[in-house]
Amino acid sequence: MGNSGTDFAPPPSPRKRLLAASISLFYRNGIQATGVSELCEVAGVSKRTLYQLYGGKDDLVAAYLAHVRDNKVLAAERTLFDDALPPRDRIVRLFDRPDPGPFRGCPFHNASVELTTPGHPAAQVIHAYKESFERRIADSAREAGCRDPERLGRTLMLLFEGATALATSTGDLTSFDSARPLVERLVDEATASA
């Protein structure tokens, strides 16, 4: 059979299909509300395949969060790592109101609330992500010339987490609008006194 000039991409692997299903279902519906049967149905794989590839749902949850972390899926994170923006703008734009359509808060926070089993495979991914996010805020504060960037980074992280959690709980994204002027003031004061 000759080449018709059309290239066909191979179908995604079962591993990739499971990961894609977890990204969609865990964020939209929650981890506890998403069963293995639903994951497998959406991914088009058997339960046996899930257990062979990931060992179980807990390890798939950890893989899902690692994927979100490594691929900078979150809009806020993309902003914070956008080196084309001046450091002050990266910090302030963290507090831009998120897109209301798909917003269900931070997947790492949501997972930490749902996963209460000590030693869960995702716990380390969640903790490392939150630490690196706070460190990146502090690095941006340092680049902006702010005094005491670690302390400011911690304060801004708390404001971001609070605005995100409140918006998730109430469905009202104005918490970001309320936090933004305070963030601007804190950054400007830290820069002026540096």
Side-chain angles (χ1 to χ4, degrees), residues 94-140:
L94 271 177
F95 294 85
D96 285 352
R97 193 185 288 203
D99 178 9
F103 186 76
R104 279 215 353 96
C106 172
F108 296 90
H109 176 82
N110 296 349
S112 70
V113 170
E114 287 196 70
L115 306 174
T116 58
T117 306
H120 190 284
Q124 187 175 6
V125 178
I126 295 165
H127 186 76
Y129 172 79
K130 292 296 183 179
E131 281 185 345
S132 70
F133 195 76
E134 182 178 332
R135 204 167 34 251
R136 183 61 181 174
I137 295 172
D139 289 346
S140 293

Side-chain angles (χ1 to χ4, degrees), residues 9 17-18 25 28 73 80 85 97 109 117 142 149 187 192:
R17 292 197 316 266
L18 278 165
L25 295 171
R28 185 180 68 225
V73 170
L80 195 56
L85 291 172
R97 193 185 288 203
H109 176 82
T117 306
R142 185 177 299 101
V187 171

Side-chain angles (χ1 to χ4, degrees), residues 42-182:
V42 169
V45 301
S46 67
K47 288 182 185 179
R48 180 175 183 219
T49 299
L50 183 147
Y51 288 106
Q52 286 175 334
L53 294 174
Y54 288 102
K57 183 179 172 184
D58 288 350
D59 288 334
L60 180 57
V61 170
Y64 146 70
L65 292 171
H67 176 82
V68 170
R69 175 199 64 207
D70 296 343
N71 291 282
K72 301 199 180 4
V73 170
L74 306 176
E77 186 174 90
R78 286 194 307 272
T79 297
L80 195 56
F81 282 83
D82 185 353
D83 289 329
L85 291 172
R88 182 189 185 280
D89 291 354
R90 287 196 304 256
I91 294 168
V92 172
R93 288 182 60 184
L94 271 177
F95 294 85
D96 285 352
R97 193 185 288 203
D99 178 9
F103 186 76
R104 279 215 353 96
C106 172
F108 296 90
H109 176 82
N110 296 349
S112 70
V113 170
E114 287 196 70
L115 306 174
T116 58
T117 306
H120 190 284
Q124 187 175 6
V125 178
I126 295 165
H127 186 76
Y129 172 79
K130 292 296 183 179
E131 281 185 345
S132 70
F133 195 76
E134 182 178 332
R135 204 167 34 251
R136 183 61 181 174
I137 295 172
D139 289 346
S140 293
R142 185 177 299 101
E143 291 172 38
C146 294
R147 176 182 43 83
D148 201 355
E150 282 74 23
R151 183 174 179 188
L152 181 61
R154 180 68 171 167
T155 301
L156 296 174
M157 177 72 166
L158 290 169
L159 285 169
F160 181 76
E161 290 287 314
T164 303
L166 184 59
T168 305
S169 299
T170 63
D172 182 3
L173 299 176
T174 60
S175 58
F176 290 94
D177 303 336
S178 300
R180 188 177 176 135
L182 178 57

